[in-house]
Amino acid sequence: MRISEILKPLKEMMPLTDFMKRTDNAPNILSETSLIDKRGDNGKSNDEINSRLRLTNKLLAYNISKFETVIDNLNDGIIIIDSSSRILAINHIMEQLLGLNRGEIKDKHISECACNNEIFTFILEHYESIDKLVEKTADINVGSSNLRVSYKTLIRGDGNACGSLLIARDITSQKLAEQAKVEFLSHVSHELKSPINTIKGYTEMIMKGEIDNKETLMEFANTVNEEADRLASLINNLLNLTKIERGSLSLSKSMTRTKEFIENIFKTATSQKKKPMNYELIIPDKVPPMNIDKEFMGIVLINLIGNATKYTPEQGRITVRVEETGDKIMIHIIDTGIGISDEEIPHIFEKFYRSADEQVRKQTGHGLGLAIAKQIVELHDGEIKVISKRGEGSQFTIVLPIEERYFLE
Ligand code: ADP
């Protein structure tokens, strides 16, 4: 909401509040009738004046309540100080930020309010300069929240200052996002740098003619090739993640035969034969179809089966089991590998998170696979769960809704 919208009801109210102030803070305009009585009012009858004042009173009450409702429903903290440095209005959020109750401070002079909160100190630093045009913004930390506070002199239509306004906006999530962006860029640069350095080092040695036997040359060429694959996979993951986070990934979902789809993915994921493993697929003959984007759900499954393979020692067992429960399809990827500790489980879906465990570090990876998998599954209105025990193995489960209870022939 724009400041001008917030101030509109306040501006409407200003002449009335000035009027009230001139009457020695009289709480009710009706008390003015006696004065008007004595002066006479262009021959108008008392009844007429009384009814006009009653109407004005109602309008004033209506405007105040409308104005208070508006500012209480804002997501920012607001405090308004009038031209004689008294607190004219304060909303709920600002009450909480200052730890003050509006009943205690409303209409009080700013210097009479006992508050040693940093926002209040900021107000005290500026309220005396009411005659000058002040527009100040500062970032202040209150507890664990980062606040951006803006103090502004309010200028009436005739060009005179009529008070000041302080708005406090919680920018904690904005700050965290900025910090995450910096961390993300530093991670990406680091992840890009290490394969590039390896590729450069190895090719330089080859070019200088330092390698004189064919076997070592092949070994070097292999390393360069693997590092190039690593780079390509990182770039692919980053592109997918950016698309998902920008909201520009449009899934092209279609009703898919579950059994056929899983069997194909299982075949692709297990045919790479990186190490000797016991793979097993358990899937009922009749499973309802899934409404999925085959390409992206394929990325998720290949990633989970790939992780199971990476983090399970040779001759371990990897089982993919599909089951239908109520209105859900569950795809379990179970391994007998190194497992994940209880402390690590809450972090494994974070971008770039990799366990510090030596058995994890010796495997290639960037810590992006599970972050992408989670987001893709959630875009399918599903969820991804994990149960794991250190040293015993892990079970990742994709839960997807069944949209149509029929079987594709
Ligand atoms: P990457 O495998 O590239 O490191 P992921 O995002 O796929 O990244 O996984 C994040 C982390 O979760 C891994 O580094 C590892 O610590 C842990 N992890 C994932 N899958 C398994 C698994 N099946 N067994 C043990 N640890 C796993």
Side-chain angles (χ1 to χ4, degrees):
M1 180 177 282
R2 291 160 55 166
I3 290 190
S4 58
E5 285 169 55
I6 302 168
L7 294 180
K8 196 164 169 268
L10 178 69
K11 277 189 183 154
E12 285 170 13
M13 235 172 81
M14 278 304 186
L16 292 169
T17 50
D18 283 353
F19 173 53
M20 284 188 78
K21 226 179 289 138
R22 280 203 309 276
T23 64
D24 246 0
N25 294 331
N28 193 322
I29 296 173
L30 282 177
S31 60
E32 285 291 288
T33 45
S34 55
L35 284 173
I36 297 167
D37 253 350
K38 279 175 208 149
R39 282 202 306 266
D41 189 22
N42 297 332
K44 285 197 176 107
S45 73
N46 278 356
D47 282 356
E48 238 179 292
I49 295 165
N50 271 341
S51 84
R52 258 178 49 202
L53 284 170
R54 229 175 269 122
L55 183 69
T56 312
N57 227 16
K58 272 189 188 155
L59 265 174
L60 174 64
Y62 171 72
N63 266 334
I64 292 175
S65 123
K66 192 166 78 171
F67 170 68
E68 283 182 344
T69 309
V70 172
I71 65 167
D72 269 339
N73 280 285
L74 294 175
N75 292 327
D76 298 336
I78 294 219
I79 185 163
I80 300 164
I81 298 157
D82 71 11
S83 51
S84 50
S85 304
R86 290 181 183 278
I87 297 190
L88 187 68
I90 177 166
N91 72 349
H92 279 320
I93 293 192
M94 188 58 89
E95 278 183 295
Q96 283 162 11
L97 288 173
L98 294 177
L100 289 173
N101 183 315
R102 71 179 70 180
E104 289 165 17
I105 59 162
K106 199 130 172 254
D107 296 328
K108 263 198 183 170
H109 192 275
I110 187 94
S111 59
E112 291 167 14
C113 305
C115 179
N116 56 8
N117 179 296
E118 287 184 58
I119 303 174
F120 214 76
T121 314
F122 184 74
I123 302 174
L124 288 174
E125 279 166 15
H126 299 293
Y127 84 94
E128 277 176 332
S129 41
I130 179 83
D131 293 333
K132 296 174 217 143
L133 219 171
V134 179
E135 195 161 355
K136 280 254 155 60
T137 299
D139 288 355
I140 290 178
N141 294 336
V142 174
S144 58
S145 305
N146 298 109
L147 300 172
R148 178 150 302 156
V149 291
S150 312
Y151 187 89
K152 195 178 186 310
T153 308
L154 298 173
I155 307 293
R156 245 202 312 245
D158 59 9
N160 290 321
C162 61
S164 40
L165 164 75
L166 182 114
I167 301 182
R169 169 161 297 176
D170 192 333
I171 53 160
T172 316
S173 53
Q174 194 180 321
K175 285 257 173 187
L176 286 174
E178 279 164 19
Q179 195 185 325
K181 205 153 89 186
V182 172
E183 278 171 18
F184 180 78
L185 283 174
S186 108
H187 267 297
V188 171
S189 331
H190 175 80
E191 293 289 329
L192 288 173
K193 231 167 123 184
S194 79
I196 286 175
N197 283 345
T198 315
I199 291 174
K200 203 161 162 39
Y202 277 62
T203 44
E204 269 172 11
M205 282 204 277
I206 297 170
M207 275 153 54
K208 278 184 199 154
E210 285 175 14
I211 320 297
D212 46 14
N213 72 72
K214 204 174 162 200
E215 223 171 86
T216 320
L217 196 66
M218 278 314 288
E219 216 178 278
F220 274 37
N222 246 331
T223 309
V224 169
N225 194 34
E226 273 171 18
E227 291 299 304
D229 280 350
R230 225 162 88 92
L231 268 180
S233 124
L234 171 63
I235 290 163
N236 250 338
N237 277 338
L238 285 173
L239 286 176
N240 282 334
L241 203 63
T242 318
K243 269 199 226 158
I244 295 169
E245 293 194 342
R246 234 185 12 211
S248 66
L249 178 80
S250 54
L251 292 181
S252 79
K253 290 200 223 169
S254 60
M255 289 312 272
T256 304
R257 288 182 176 87
T258 302
K259 191 167 162 57
E260 205 176 296
F261 171 74
I262 305 268
E263 278 171 352
N264 279 337
I265 294 287
F266 182 79
K267 213 150 114 205
T268 313
T270 56
S271 62
Q272 290 159 3
K273 296 241 168 6
K274 287 204 168 137
K275 55 183 168 188
M277 279 292 176
N278 299 299
Y279 291 107
E280 185 185 16
L281 173 64
I282 306 169
I283 182 163
D285 276 339
K286 283 213 176 252
V287 198
M290 299 187 289
N291 190 16
I292 52 166
D293 181 309
K294 290 200 270 291
E295 185 193 338
F296 281 98
M297 198 47 76
I299 292 178
V300 174
L301 285 165
I302 295 214
N303 190 278
L304 294 180
I305 301 171
N307 275 352
T309 311
K310 263 197 312 193
Y311 302 118
T312 302
E314 286 184 9
Q315 305 302 348
R317 174 162 292 276
I318 291 161
T319 311
V320 176
R321 188 162 63 82
V322 180
E323 62 173 328
E324 180 196 338
T325 56
D327 53 356
K328 307 261 190 282
I329 287 185
M330 311 244 228
I331 309 164
H332 309 281
I333 296 95
I334 308 154
D335 66 57
T336 54
I338 60 172
I340 309 163
S341 67
D342 287 348
E343 300 79 60
E344 286 177 323
I345 285 188
H347 302 290
I348 58 172
F349 294 100
E350 289 167 10
K351 273 180 280 183
F352 293 111
Y353 180 82
R354 299 204 78 206
S355 164
D357 189 294
E358 201 194 315
Q359 283 171 289
V360 170
R361 294 285 156 163
K362 69 181 183 203
Q363 301 294 333
T364 54
H366 305 286
L368 288 176
L370 287 182
I372 294 174
K374 183 171 188 285
Q375 304 220 34
I376 294 177
V377 171
E378 284 172 1
L379 282 174
H380 282 83
D381 302 317
E383 59 175 325
I384 185 161
K385 299 177 183 179
V386 59
I387 308 170
S388 187
K389 198 148 191 221
R390 196 91 187 100
E392 288 184 19
S394 312
Q395 170 173 314
F396 283 83
T397 301
I398 299 170
V399 185
L400 292 172
I402 297 175
E403 292 184 11
E404 306 279 347
R405 188 161 285 283
Y406 62 84
F407 302 97
L408 293 168
E409 292 306 325

